[in-house]
Amino acid sequence: MALPVDLGAAQDRFGERSDTSVPPPPRRAPQPARPVPAPPSRPPGQPPRPQWSPGHPGAGVEARPAPGAMFLAWLRTPRPPAAPGIWRFGHVPRPVDEPEPLPTRQLLSGAALALLVGWLVWSLLFNGYLGGTWWLAPMWAMVPDAAARGHSLGAVVVAYLYYAVVTLIIAIAVGRLGRWAEVWRRYGPRAWCPAAPTQPPSPSPEEDPAQWPELRAAGAHAAADRLAAEASGGRMRDVDHARLVRAWQTVRAGWQSPSVFEAEVMRDGAAACPHPSGQRDLAGRAARHDLFTGQVRIGTTADDPHNPYSYRETGLALGAEILGTSLVAVGPAGAGKTAQLVRPLAEALCLQALAGRTSVVVVGAAGAGLGRDEDYDVVIKISRPESVYDLDLYGGAVDADEAAAVLAEALVGDLAAQHRVGDTRRPATVLAQLIGPFHAVHGRFPSVPELRELLDGAPGPLQALLDALSKAGRAAMVRDLESRQRQSGHAGDPAAQLADRIALLDRPAFADFFDTSGRSRPFSLRALDHPVRVRIDLPARGHTEASAIIARLVLAQFTASVSVREDRSLFACLVLDDAAGAVTPETVRAIQAMRSAYAGVVLTLRTLDDIPRALRGPLLGAAGCRMAFSGVTPWDGQDFAETWGKEWREIRDVTDRQIVADEPLAKVTHFLRRAITGKAPTAQSVTVRQVERERWSASELAHAVPPGHAVLSLTTVRGEHAPPLLVDLRH
């Protein structure tokens, strides 16, 4: 049984790139998969099975009995629909509007006054001070006259019962008047001890997810029984459940045969339909995940007036429906961007990839702690000789114009953003004039040293290409190459800038990388058609500018690849830790178009000053999710404040005015109040008005966000919005 996407095609992507100029095949249903080749250094085997479901609050505790019961409890926990970003696992919805708080002094004094009034009414009623015994008429109607005169036992019982009912009616009326229920809630025994967690009611067999009702409804009762036994026996985990649900979705979509699915489930149980890596989990999870809903919890919304009441003190989580609109996070060094955002997201996306739902590319500096090598299928360590995989410089393209456009974006895209070049079309044309003829002659694209020679205008390589093209009768390419020779060295020729930039990659540290001869194992981002996990380590130390070029290269290849994927039911995400220098006008336009391709990017920046001024507003506008960490500068806060806009707020203005006494008694009273309190008697005047204010001002973002917190706004791919929320990332 294959996963929802064809992982076997990724084998060719991870190895040598095809040199044939054949157009990509049309969209088709995935074929049976072949295993993805793992790096030789990867140890065989699977991580040990956890003793509890990672979504359970007790994850991280060493000893947990009854793993099957723990998994079933996790699976059956309610996940009600909620607003965007709310952690749905065990969520209890809150009212939309905040209840009006009642001061303690007013509450207790009202309760005491109501008790006094109730006692007074009861005394007057039973002592006959309220007009005789008219209120006893219903009792006498129930008691015969003879029995009442004889004071029989039945009459006495009826009388006491009637007195008790009247007393209860008075107590209920007085209790409502004095808000005794609120007093009991605040100061009763329940407020002294924490409430014990309540177990959710057991679902019916038709609604129990542990009984796999979808399979039973389709007639696959044997497979459902086998999976139910695996779950109750503790042999299933959350990744298995998510992977099997995804596999069953492919069956319902007609991509796989139901009989093949049932046969594999009956043979392998919870291990059926495996990821080609053979892994069923990640060892040493650090974040809280709920693979049932595809969420990862990153914090808790604060009890702050800026947050809507329905969001306060609720868990905040991210998922594919939110990351599909892309996320931009800004915060200074040490604010927690990597530890509290990038690492949980990378871990969650890797788990989703094991479930066959996601393909993920994580890019960061070497040593940033973005996960173990064993947690990824492909690990590319630029400039490190022990790296098993190489990065394809041309992104798996077979067309020279396409390859030139992506490479030009990586080399001089930042210069276009800074208006030092008009755009990347002329550089792309220059590259196409060189790499197209080279590909026609050699059957491959030029390596970094060869491309540098061509851009420098060295006569030897250019003349050799001209001679080979002339012999092959490629007149059109000869004209292009001769035109490039004539333009070389003239003022405004982009080749000089391209040569300077490509020279940053033509260093001894990168001699074993970006190879096009077939000696290495280049990875192409065209493999994102499959649930593959990729990590790219940038050589930030000593090669800052080269790292920026590689980051732009990966970002450009990602945006170009996700738009032409065959299977768009698979979520694709690029996580770029420290995107300084990687944002260009073309990538901003591409981010806006990725929502329809079911893909997204996560970009972190230390400050918005790392990108040109002209791109700050468009970048924040293109990303559906924006995140400002504690410690942002006021000018960064101003950009966020302008993006988040304004809202109408109710402002209460309280004015104190001194009371002037005219009568002698009033003057004496005011004199005594001033002598006792030290203040003159005043009267308050309250004015309520509606004003338009910024949701978060630049000053508040710069100075009022506590350490370990961030302000985050969210948008889903369906267009639902969540306002800027103050989030505690430590809980």
Side-chain angles (χ1 to χ4, degrees), residues 15-41:
E16 298 181 1
R17 185 182 64 254
S18 173
D19 293 325
T20 59
S21 301
V22 180
R27 178 178 175 86
R28 58 182 176 83
Q31 302 298 319
R34 300 189 303 272
V36 175
S41 60

Side-chain angles (χ1 to χ4, degrees), residues 451-698:
L451 182 58
R452 182 181 181 185
E453 288 182 347
L454 295 175
L455 290 172
D456 283 335
L462 288 175
Q463 189 60 44
L465 282 179
L466 283 172
D467 295 341
L469 291 172
S470 299
K471 292 180 181 179
R474 310 294 292 270
M477 288 190 174
V478 169
R479 288 194 300 269
D480 275 350
L481 203 55
E482 289 177 344
S483 174
R484 174 90 296 274
Q485 278 186 316
R486 291 191 299 268
Q487 296 173 5
S488 179
H490 291 184
D493 183 16
Q497 290 177 328
L498 291 170
D500 291 341
R501 288 301 180 91
I502 202 68
L504 295 173
L505 302 181
D506 189 18
R507 306 297 303 162
F510 309 129
D512 297 330
F513 290 85
F514 314 114
D515 181 69
T516 59
S517 63
R519 294 189 303 269
S520 64
R521 305 178 68 184
F523 170 78
S524 168
L525 267 70
R526 295 299 178 98
L528 296 181
D529 276 344
H530 319 285
V532 61
R533 302 165 294 165
V534 183
R535 195 189 78 212
I536 302 176
D537 293 344
L538 299 177
R541 181 175 299 178
H543 301 280
T544 305
E545 294 187 15
S547 296
I549 293 176
I550 297 172
R552 287 195 299 272
L553 178 66
V554 175
L555 184 55
Q557 291 183 1
F558 178 84
T559 56
S561 299
V562 296
S563 60
V564 295
R565 290 185 303 159
E566 295 181 1
D567 182 12
R568 294 194 177 184
S569 67
L570 188 72
F571 178 64
C573 188
L574 170 66
V575 181
L576 182 53
D577 192 20
D578 195 0
V583 180
T584 66
E586 186 61 32
T587 57
V588 171
R589 287 189 289 269
I591 288 174
Q592 294 175 325
M594 275 194 286
R595 298 188 189 187
S596 59
Y598 197 42
V601 297
V602 178
L603 306 176
T604 66
L605 296 164
R606 293 186 178 182
T607 173
L608 289 175
D609 288 338
D610 289 338
I611 61 176
R613 180 69 214 179
L615 292 181
R616 297 175 193 174
L619 176 63
L620 293 177
C625 306
R626 304 127 191 156
M627 194 170 187
F629 281 77
S630 172
V632 296
T633 60
W635 39 94
D636 285 348
Q638 184 62 40
D639 290 325
F640 278 100
E642 292 177 357
T643 303
W644 284 328
K646 299 180 179 180
E647 64 179 353
W648 289 99
R649 294 183 183 178
E650 185 179 275
I651 303 299
R652 301 170 64 91
D653 296 330
V654 181
T655 304
D656 289 339
R657 62 180 182 84
Q658 184 175 353
I659 301 176
V660 179
D662 297 329
E663 299 179 359
L665 182 59
K667 291 182 178 180
V668 172
T669 304
H670 288 184
F671 175 78
L672 293 176
R673 289 182 59 182
R674 177 177 295 182
I676 295 173
T677 63
K679 298 179 181 179
T682 58
Q684 288 186 342
S685 175
V686 180
T687 303
V688 181
R689 55 193 177 96
Q690 295 284 335
V691 298
E692 194 175 20
R693 296 285 176 85
E694 292 177 327
R695 298 178 184 270
W696 279 86
S697 67

Side-chain angles (χ1 to χ4, degrees), residues 295-313:
Q295 291 183 312
V296 55
R297 180 166 178 159
I298 63 171
T300 304
T301 53
D303 187 6
D304 187 87
H306 285 91
N307 293 341
Y309 183 74
S310 59
Y311 273 95
R312 294 180 191 175
E313 296 183 325

Side-chain angles (χ1 to χ4, degrees), residues 83-86 308 311 316 322 624 626 644 695 712-716 719-725:
I86 288 182
Y311 273 95
L316 193 78
I322 290 177
R626 304 127 191 156
W644 284 328
R695 298 178 184 270
L712 171 64
S713 64
L714 302 172
T715 304
T716 68
E720 300 172 325
H721 294 270
L725 304 170

